[in-house]
Amino acid sequence: MSANPVRTDMPDLIRGSFIFAALSAASGVMLGALSAHLPDRLFAMPGGRAMLHSAVEIQMWHALGLCVLSLNASRLSPKLIRLSCLCMAVGMVLFCVPVTLLALFNLRLGPMSVGRIAPYGGTMLMIAWCLAAASALRRPFRN
């Protein structure tokens, strides 16, 4: 028997966060391939390839981070880590989706570029990481 038993009961929000992160990583690989192989003329704007590459990079790093947070949730403050995971998932969507849509389609919402949503997603990602740090400070690690 192991000295560190594995917990199999994962709260639904944390399980959902892990699933979201894994699917985000899978779609990040697909978008990365698109970024690498799509001809320049098919990007909606100059610099579209670099823009898409940046979105993919942010998506992949945060998918990995969200996986790690989800798997370590039982060691952290429950309320704060749930909020952190939720903010990270929302932040990923609000940052990566608009930047991808801008790079590929130059999508607009009326007179406004969809890319103007991205800073809100970036802010959510920063808040998520601060909440993750706070969740570790609130509840000491136990051996």
Side-chain angles (χ1 to χ4, degrees):
M1 181 171 237
S2 171
N4 296 323
V6 176
R7 279 186 61 169
T8 57
D9 60 326
M10 185 183 273
D12 288 343
L13 179 64
I14 299 299
R15 182 184 311 279
S17 294
F18 185 85
I19 292 167
F20 174 81
L23 294 174
S24 292
S27 66
V29 172
M30 184 270 306
L31 288 169
L34 190 67
S35 171
H37 300 293
L38 195 65
D40 287 336
R41 63 182 167 73
L42 294 179
F43 285 94
M45 56 188 347
R49 181 182 311 281
M51 189 180 297
L52 180 57
H53 179 77
S54 293
V56 169
E57 194 170 334
I58 292 290
Q59 182 171 333
M60 293 301 289
W61 280 111
H62 285 85
L64 178 61
L66 190 52
C67 282
V68 170
L69 289 176
S70 298
L71 292 174
N72 285 292
S74 65
R75 301 179 71 202
L76 303 165
S77 172
K79 289 180 183 178
L80 289 176
I81 201 59
R82 282 190 209 112
L83 188 56
S84 173
C85 288
L86 185 60
C87 285
M88 191 165 298
V90 169
M92 287 171 67
V93 169
L94 290 178
F95 181 85
C96 298
V97 171
V99 173
T100 299
L101 292 174
L102 184 63
L104 294 175
F105 307 109
N106 196 11
L107 187 64
R108 303 187 75 70
L109 299 172
M112 184 179 81
S113 168
V114 74
R116 297 204 39 174
I117 298 169
Y120 297 103
T123 301
M124 288 293 288
L125 291 171
M126 289 182 262
I127 290 169
W129 285 114
C130 290
L131 288 166
S135 73
L137 292 171
R138 288 283 307 253
R139 183 172 171 191
F141 292 103
R142 295 191 180 114
N143 291 339

